[in-house]
Amino acid sequence: MSAGDLRDLYQQVIMDHNKKPRNFREMSDANHLAHGNNPLCGDALVVYLKLNGDVIEDVSFQGSGCAISVASASLMTEALKGKTSAEADALYDLVHKQMTGEEVDTSALGKLEVLSGVKEFPARVKCATLSWHTIHAAMDSDHDISVTTE
Ligand code: ZN
């Protein structure tokens, strides 16, 4: 994908997922949840998770934030359903690398490749990674936990 195509796609996908976030709901039978805050921007999300053993059976989120934090959370919930926690961590590693400009194997990323567009806006990387930090904290804890970006 050329840089120009990727930029257009980035803007379209972010706008679409911000306007119509996927899996944007409270989950009454969640067995893990975490609150994520990015005070630099004012993004505040709650990630709900239903883990069955090691498998992410369901994932959803709620809260408010800028377009990139909401769109990234929406894309994340779509990408992680059905994955194991180890697969989720591996995927986050790739997402974070591409956001900071490292070359990664984009075939493993699917739709998440558009998030690499954020590397042109370094101040927004924390917005884009907030939901990923939050789900990581949720998977590691069996009680409600809060995480804050540094
Ligand atoms: Zn933000």
Side-chain angles (χ1 to χ4, degrees):
M1 213 183 291
S2 78
D5 287 346
L6 186 64
R7 199 173 309 123
D8 289 348
L9 188 66
Y10 171 78
Q11 273 161 1
Q12 281 167 22
V13 171
I14 299 301
M15 242 187 322
D16 173 48
H17 278 260
N18 179 49
K19 224 191 299 176
K20 289 178 297 188
R22 318 304 196 264
N23 304 300
F24 189 79
R25 58 186 156 84
E26 206 178 307
M27 195 193 297
S28 55
D29 59 345
N31 51 16
H32 294 255
L33 92 124
H35 288 74
N37 290 291
N38 174 19
L40 286 174
C41 180
D43 309 315
L45 302 175
V46 186
V47 173
Y48 302 89
L49 194 57
K50 185 156 62 163
L51 278 182
N52 183 355
D54 201 29
V55 176
I56 299 171
E57 208 167 86
D58 200 7
V59 51
S60 68
F61 77 106
Q62 277 205 314
S64 62
C66 65
I68 177 72
S69 67
V70 171
S72 180
S74 172
L75 284 159
M76 180 191 79
T77 59
E78 279 195 319
L80 293 188
K81 219 178 272 192
K83 298 259 193 309
T84 66
S85 54
E87 286 168 340
D89 282 346
L91 205 52
Y92 172 66
D93 193 46
L94 286 178
V95 166
H96 190 254
K97 278 185 177 149
Q98 68 161 2
M99 283 183 199
T100 51
E102 274 186 60
E103 290 292 327
V104 299
D105 175 11
T106 52
S107 65
L109 284 168
K111 265 191 186 174
L112 297 171
E113 187 188 353
V114 298
L115 289 173
S116 70
V118 82
K119 66 175 177 255
E120 293 185 39
F121 313 95
R124 313 312 290 277
V125 169
K126 287 192 169 106
C127 302
T129 56
L130 177 63
S131 56
W132 295 84
H133 283 304
T134 309
I135 197 170
H136 183 78
M139 285 191 292
D140 275 357
S141 171
D142 55 7
H143 57 87
D144 188 354
I145 188 169
S146 289
V147 290
T148 305
T149 55
E150 289 298 317

